[in-house]
Amino acid sequence: MAHSHSHSHAHPPRPDGTGGGQQDGLTEMLDLDAAVFGPYLATVTDRIARLAGDGVTRIVDLGAGTGTGTFALLERFPAARVTAVDSSPEMLARLTAAARDRGTAERVRTLRADADEALAGLTDTDLVWASASLHHLDDPGGTLAAIRSALRPGGLLAVAEMDGVPRFLPGDAVADRPGLEDRLRAALDELHAEAVPHLGADWGVRLTAAGFTVERADTTRLELRAPLPEGTGRYAFLTLTRVRDALDGRADPADLAALGLLLDGGPHDVRHREDLAVRSGRELWVARRPVDGP
Ligand SMILES: C[S@@+](CC[C@H](N)C(=O)[O-])C[C@H]1O[C@@H](n2cnc3c(N)ncnc32)[C@H](O)[C@@H]1O
């Protein structure tokens, strides 16, 4: 996704949407991710609700994007209002329109801010949700300290991350390129190690270092097979298009050509193949600002 905040360096395009000034397809991909993995998102909000107890009224969605977390949390916590924070005005505009369409506009406030710089004005928060956003930051440790200050004592921070780009194909799916997705993921890992060093971090360790008490840490392996939720083919297409753009000139040309066959409208295209599946690893940490302490 386009980083709209004013970092001095530009990240190259990435399949989870960061860097490179490319917003194309990203907002749709975020919405489709929530649609395809809706049941998982509901499980996550359940887990958070069990730890949060009653009385959640103030929620912050940090790096809210198109608002997939905002809307799931509004549903789970009917008495709550959400402040959706993002550095991208395009994301916030889309989130505002979606809130209006859903009839929840009066429960959503947007705040354009760079989470690397400050979270000024956010206080007494019951719950902060940060999904696929902390890894974008230059100084996540500084932001974790700012989140702790924005929470009331006893308030919760939930951090959700993906363990990389989802997989969509059996190993031999593109006739002469078995193991294609594994090699593409390895090439992406290499790119991310340089460009997005906090991706794949152990947030449990960082949360503890920032003075939180980690109360839950889950890794969930999701595997969807036919009949797939509506939009899955399109989700695969958008995801793999971003992979192709990110790896252009950086992966084996034969692998990139095979990847092109998954996107070209021909017989291998992910938008209409019957062996499409989705495998994705999701991580969740739920941590509390201690009641006693700074
Ligand atoms: C991968 S998207 C995730 C969006 C949403 N949380 C979700 O799970 O669908 C990351 C979001 O973080 C935002 N972001 C990246 N760096 C940021 C920063 N420094 N401050 C605020 N938001 C940031 C991006 O604009 C983008 O909307």
Side-chain angles (χ1 to χ4, degrees):
M1 75 196 58
H3 267 192
S4 309
H5 57 104
S6 54
H7 282 184
S8 52
H9 55 276
H11 295 312
R14 300 180 38 216
D16 85 332
T18 48
Q22 297 201 353
Q23 198 89 11
D24 294 354
L26 173 64
T27 52
E28 188 187 353
M29 199 181 79
L30 293 175
D31 286 346
L32 283 172
D33 186 83
V36 169
F37 293 110
Y40 171 68
L41 197 52
T43 305
V44 164
T45 58
D46 277 349
R47 288 175 187 165
I48 295 169
R50 275 201 293 278
L51 290 174
D54 295 334
V56 172
T57 58
R58 294 163 74 114
I59 299 177
V60 170
D61 184 355
L62 195 67
T66 58
T68 57
T70 294
F71 299 122
L73 292 164
L74 284 175
E75 209 173 306
R76 175 65 66 227
F77 298 101
R81 290 171 185 267
V82 175
T83 300
V85 181
D86 207 286
S87 53
S88 159
E90 295 83 11
M91 290 290 182
L92 293 177
R94 186 160 167 138
L95 189 152
T96 301
R100 228 180 9 244
D101 291 349
R102 289 164 179 258
T104 55
E106 76 292 346
R107 296 175 62 204
V108 178
R109 177 173 83 102
T110 58
L111 176 63
R112 186 183 173 192
D114 183 341
D116 260 323
E117 280 163 18
L119 297 176
L122 298 178
T123 54
D124 287 324
T125 309
D126 298 306
L127 168 64
V128 174
W129 163 255
S131 166
S133 56
L134 291 185
H135 67 253
H136 291 283
L137 304 179
D138 287 338
D139 175 22
T143 303
L144 289 179
I147 293 172
R148 205 187 50 196
S149 306
L151 286 167
R152 65 166 169 77
L156 292 178
L157 165 59
V159 177
E161 291 281 338
M162 280 166 79
D163 80 342
V165 189
R167 292 167 205 261
F168 297 102
L169 302 165
D172 57 355
V174 182
D176 58 342
R177 307 298 295 170
L180 174 67
E181 285 194 303
D182 287 342
R183 285 192 303 282
L184 294 174
R185 272 174 69 115
L188 279 172
D189 286 348
E190 216 171 283
L191 171 63
H192 291 161
E194 288 166 31
V196 202
H198 301 297
L199 193 66
D202 184 339
W203 294 99
V205 169
R206 292 178 181 212
L207 287 163
T208 304
F212 287 91
T213 306
V214 178
E215 298 196 353
R216 251 200 110 122
D218 302 294
T219 299
T220 307
R221 308 239 160 265
L222 299 165
E223 181 147 3
L224 308 182
R225 301 199 166 278
L228 293 166
E230 199 184 330
T232 306
R234 176 91 184 141
Y235 173 69
F237 175 79
L238 292 172
T239 303
L240 294 177
T241 299
R242 297 185 74 80
V243 171
R244 185 190 58 192
D245 292 348
L247 294 181
D248 190 23
R250 300 185 67 115
D252 180 338
D255 281 343
L256 289 173
L259 177 56
L261 294 178
L262 300 174
L263 304 169
D264 68 358
H268 293 294
D269 193 294
V270 289
R271 285 167 292 186
H272 50 243
R273 54 189 301 155
E274 289 188 352
D275 60 353
L276 191 70
V278 192
R279 296 189 301 281
S280 181
R282 307 276 161 146
E283 294 180 294
L284 173 74
W285 292 266
V286 188
R288 197 178 297 277
R289 173 179 171 176
V291 174
D292 305 313

